[in-house]
Every structure is written in C-alpha cells, then in structure tokens.
Amino acid sequence: MASFRPQAFQSLLRSRTPFIRSQQRRWAQVHDVRFLATHRDPNQVLDRYRSKLDQKAKQEGFESVESLKEAHQEKIDKLRREASTVLTPEPPAPSATPHTPPPPPKPQSAAQSKFAEAAKSTSSTGIKALSSYLDVEKVRALPPKEIEALWRLRHASNPTSICAVIPLETYQRINSAARQNPQFILPLPRTQSETAEATSAPEENTGADIHFLQWAFHPPASTPSAINTHTSTVIFTPLAAYKLHGAYAQPHTTITHHLDLAEDKGIVLMHGQVMPDSGVSTAEATWLVSCVQRFYDFGGQASGRKGELLRMFTQGDVQNFKIEELMAEAEKL
C-alpha cells in the first residue's frame, strides 16, 4: 500500500484530473500486408510478361496482345465475376423433432414470492437487503435499544464485519452532504514503527496512507416510504490503486446503510464488510468509516474545519486544501 507525503500529494492535486487516469493515445496503424503486396500497377505486370504474351498472340493468329485480350474478354470477365462472388452458406435443415414448449412455472407460496421480490430488487446492485440479516417484521416490534443489541450480535462472530446503528437525524445530515460531495479522501495514520520500516528518514515518521471513498445511492430493497427512499453505499479504495486502475480498482471495504426501520424506529442500520487479504485490517477500516461521520455530519462533528475541507476538495480548491490539515482534523474526535 503506497504512502503519500505532503509534497507528492500537493503535486497530485495540482493536476486537472487528479483521480482519473489519462487515456493513452496510440498512433500506430495496422495495414493489410496482403493488400500492399499484391495490389501493384497492372502495367508493370504486363511489361514483365510482354514477350510471352506476344508469342502467345502469334501462335493463335493475332497481330498483337490487345487483339488477344479482346478475343478472350468474355472469358476474362467470367473469371473475374467468379473470383469476386461471396459464397452464401446454405441454411440449416429444419429439425425433424418438433419443438416442445417449456413446462409452466409452478405456483409459488406467499413466502417464496416475497423472497423472490426481495432478491430481484437487490440483484442488479449486488446489495443484500436487510431481510437477509434480520427478520424485519419481528424486529420492528422491538425497541431501538434491543434492535441495536441484536444488530451488533448478528455481526459479532464475523472478524471482517463492521456494524453500527445511526440516529436518523444524523444520517439525514450525512446523506445531504454526501449527495453534494460524493467523493473524498481520508488519511489512515501509520504508526512510527510501521513508517520506520518503510523509510530511514526520521522526519517522515508522521506519514499516512491515503484512501479514496465514493458514495452511491440505490433504490430501496424494501417497500419505499416517506423516509425509506434509497439504500446508500460507500466504498473505500487505496488512492494509489484507484489512480492506477480507475473504476476497475478493487475496493477493500464496502459499507451499506439500511433505512427499513428509519420511519418506525428512527434509526439506520449500517453494515460494512472488509475484503480479506486486502492489506487493510478491520480496525483500520473501522477508523476510516468513523471518519465519514466526522467529515460529512454538517451541523454536527463536521460543522467546523472538517466540513470546509470536504467542500474545498469537491470544488478543487488546491490552494487551501492541505493534506497536513486533513490529517490533523481526522485525528480530532
């Protein structure tokens, strides 16, 4: 995982398209070698075989090669037409076996139909519905505190899982800021011992790995309501990998916000998954996820300089956006 320093990151921000790879232009042209080798001047061919053609014309009683050519013009045209005709493949013979229509689908029960609708709503985005983790209808009858306990217990046995319960008002502020600022970068501070292994310079012991985050908004997995109008996701990717591979870069962490219980209970259930062997531990991914609220909760934790840094990044304000200040604000609780 690459480590970005202030000087390198400032030069990165000065470019017009800092996070998108420039397309490589190739000016090489491909030519058909057969075309270049065979399409010559016909006069050169005629001059080369002039003596043999004169001899052939005298043998058949013609005064010149032109007279010989006129006498055989019909045969020459016929050979040219045959050489330029494209063979059309014959259509396949109809099968003797009559087509058997597929059997009609079996009737589904109410539970199967409900599961099929939930699977159809999430198959296009690859996002699991909240019903794949909890029995939403049964949980809806519980108080928010018990729902939070069940949600944390549901993911406690998974070492690469992150979960949280966010108050609806807090999430709405974060959601509003995310729609205006769908991309951002976050620093992951490196410990002094980790940096010492990578470099021998003592003045660089305050380095950080830079990670790129992107928001996305999808249709809700469950029945939409006045509040449950979407499902939002955030993916985290090392900035170096994103600059190298662009949209094809493999994210190391993906978090999803479920609003199924937002209207009834006033809470949003968040679930995150860290990819194994991605070079980022669950604790490090948890740090990055916690920074999302610090920088996106306008009116809350992001009401000061954190919110200003987020807006400057979106506006491309390279003069005032400083990576050192970003690192300092990320470490403030």
Side-chain angles (χ1 to χ4, degrees), residues 35-204:
F35 179 85
L36 297 178
T38 58
H39 288 64
R40 299 178 180 176
D41 187 356
N43 293 327
Q44 295 181 0
V45 179
L46 187 63
D47 294 340
R48 182 176 180 181
Y49 296 97
R50 172 67 67 176
S51 59
K52 293 184 178 182
L53 292 173
D54 289 338
Q55 184 180 358
K56 180 68 175 178
K58 292 178 181 180
Q59 289 177 355
E60 296 189 8
F62 294 97
E63 297 180 356
S64 63
V65 177
E66 286 73 14
S67 301
L68 177 65
K69 181 178 178 181
E70 292 177 358
H72 293 279
Q73 187 65 43
E74 183 177 353
K75 184 177 180 181
I76 293 173
D77 294 339
K78 180 180 178 181
L79 292 174
R80 286 179 176 176
R81 286 194 300 269
E82 293 177 353
S84 60
T85 302
V86 179
L87 296 178
T88 304
E90 297 182 0
S95 175
T97 305
H99 175 68
T100 304
K106 297 181 180 179
Q108 293 181 332
S109 63
Q112 290 175 333
S113 301
K114 183 178 180 181
F115 176 80
E117 291 177 0
K120 182 179 179 180
S121 64
T122 57
S123 59
S124 59
T125 59
I127 300 173
K128 289 185 178 181
L130 183 62
S131 57
S132 62
Y133 300 103
L134 298 174
D135 189 331
V136 180
E137 296 307 320
K138 290 184 178 180
V139 168
R140 200 183 298 274
L142 301 176
K145 289 294 184 181
E146 293 187 18
I147 297 177
E148 179 176 356
L150 286 175
W151 184 243
R152 296 185 183 279
L153 184 63
R154 174 64 177 78
H155 302 286
S157 60
N158 189 347
T160 60
S161 179
I162 305 172
C163 68
V165 177
I166 306 173
L168 177 59
E169 293 182 1
T170 301
Y171 174 79
Q172 288 177 332
R173 293 195 300 265
I174 295 175
N175 171 62
S176 177
R179 292 182 182 274
Q180 300 176 13
N181 308 273
Q183 298 177 345
F184 194 48
I185 57 171
L186 289 173
L188 182 61
R190 300 179 62 184
T191 62
Q192 187 172 358
S193 59
E194 290 175 337
T195 311
E197 294 177 0
T199 179
S200 58
E203 63 273 13
E204 295 185 355

Side-chain angles (χ1 to χ4, degrees), residues 159-271:
T160 60
S161 179
I162 305 172
C163 68
V165 177
I166 306 173
L168 177 59
E169 293 182 1
T170 301
Y171 174 79
Q172 288 177 332
R173 293 195 300 265
I174 295 175
N175 171 62
S176 177
R179 292 182 182 274
Q180 300 176 13
N181 308 273
Q183 298 177 345
F184 194 48
I185 57 171
L186 289 173
L188 182 61
R190 300 179 62 184
T191 62
Q192 187 172 358
S193 59
E194 290 175 337
T195 311
E197 294 177 0
T199 179
S200 58
E203 63 273 13
E204 295 185 355
N205 285 345
T206 58
D209 295 326
I210 306 300
H211 295 261
F212 181 61
L213 70 86
Q214 303 176 82
W215 284 81
F217 301 91
H218 318 278
S222 60
T223 305
S225 64
I227 297 179
N228 182 28
T229 59
H230 67 277
T231 299
S232 64
T233 59
V234 188
I235 61 174
F236 296 85
T237 311
L239 180 58
Y242 185 81
K243 284 185 62 62
L244 183 62
H245 301 290
Y248 298 98
Q250 181 68 33
H252 60 75
T253 303
T254 303
I255 65 173
T256 304
H257 300 96
H258 302 280
L259 282 76
D260 303 62
L261 303 175
E263 191 167 6
D264 297 340
K265 303 299 178 180
I267 57 176
V268 176
L269 302 184
M270 185 273 286
H271 170 250

